[in-house]
Amino acid sequence: MTPARATRTRITLLAATAIAAVLLSGCELTGGLQEPVIENVTSSSGDPSDQRNRVRIGTELGSLYYSLGNMAVAPEELRLAVAADPTYALAYSMLGTIFMELLEPKLAEQNFERALQLSLTDSEINHRYGWLLRQAGREANSLKFFQHFIRNPLNLAPWRSSSAVGVYSMRKGLFKEAVGFFQASLRRDRNDGTSLYNLGLLRYQQGSIKEARMLVSRVIKQEEPSAESLWLALRIERKLGERNAEAILGNQPGRRFPASREYQAATQEI
């Protein structure tokens, strides 16, 4: 799951809380969920805690607009928030996430960098920035940000970063490191499909065929098989000499993915 999708999910769950907070602070909501309105994020009382609370509410409203797909208003609400308090890291992080989805990498990077200047140890900001760098092809630079996220024991889904770093390590030929990252991912989420498949592929390449078979069979059982996972499963059964299983699997790539490279490879080896 990408940070954008994960963020949308979390924000949707928090939407009711954000709306209630706005109502309690004296702000107005018009037009239902599609039109949350914050009149002013500045504090009339001058109380710093009240000011920060209003900025937090403004950030939550910008996040709510984002979760509803209103990309025109969401960044404006967040700009109001950072104008009122330019030290609130979460607002910059949310702006970075929005600009990443809007395919504005320079603006996204500027906001993530500002967020990290303000909150260097925030693992979620590190994770989002790592994804931005990875999408930009700067995978080597993204590693330290992913690793920061992975090391935080309080993260709810650290396997996302472990898996991403594992894939990068595979591409660079760092197979021992990749195994470690995929194993770490599976210790936290034993059903992570990306880690199961890639660790299965590595074990197959290393000659641990039975372990590869166990890993890939879990992928196929728990989610819709891909051309890659079916082709790997077919090669594993062929390697083990299991002709019946090979025959069953051999029909699936052609039926499901007749134009895939994996199916073409399978037909050439038969």
Side-chain angles (χ1 to χ4, degrees), residues 135-260:
Q135 289 176 357
R138 296 157 60 186
E139 292 179 311
N141 294 334
S142 74
L143 283 178
K144 68 176 182 179
F145 299 101
F146 281 131
Q147 288 170 338
H148 183 97
F149 182 83
I150 294 166
R151 286 195 297 266
N152 189 338
L154 300 179
N155 289 323
L156 295 178
W159 65 87
R160 291 182 293 160
S161 286
S162 297
S163 181
V165 178
V167 171
Y168 170 76
S169 300
M170 281 183 68
R171 290 176 181 169
K172 294 299 181 181
L174 304 172
F175 301 123
K176 181 179 179 180
E177 290 82 355
V179 167
F181 283 121
F182 292 134
Q183 288 174 335
S185 172
L186 292 170
R187 280 194 294 271
R188 293 181 169 108
D189 177 14
R190 67 183 305 274
N191 294 320
D192 179 50
T194 299
S195 296
L196 285 170
Y197 168 77
N198 284 291
L199 184 56
L201 177 59
L202 284 170
R203 290 310 194 202
Y204 172 80
Q205 293 170 343
Q206 294 167 345
S208 299
I209 309 302
K210 290 186 177 180
E211 183 181 355
R213 184 193 206 185
M214 177 191 67
L215 292 163
V216 176
S217 66
R218 284 170 58 190
V219 176
I220 292 175
K221 287 177 182 177
Q222 73 184 27
E223 59 186 46
E224 186 70 19
S226 64
E228 292 84 358
S229 61
L230 284 173
W231 172 225
L232 178 56
L234 176 61
R235 285 184 289 166
I236 288 171
E237 298 302 337
R238 186 174 293 166
K239 196 81 170 179
L240 291 170
E242 297 289 345
R243 299 306 176 192
N244 291 336
E246 180 186 345
I248 294 171
L249 286 167
N251 295 326
Q252 294 193 42
R255 188 173 69 253
R256 294 171 181 258
F257 311 101
S260 68

Side-chain angles (χ1 to χ4, degrees), residues 84-121:
D85 183 354
T87 67
Y88 193 56
L90 293 180
Y92 288 102
S93 177
M94 197 65 230
L95 274 169
T97 302
I98 290 172
F99 286 126
M100 181 166 59
E101 187 157 328
L102 292 174
L103 303 180
E104 295 282 356
K106 290 184 179 180
L107 290 173
E109 185 166 6
Q110 289 171 9
N111 281 281
F112 281 132
E113 287 181 346
R114 177 59 177 155
L116 286 170
Q117 288 172 1
L118 296 168
S119 186
L120 183 62
T121 60

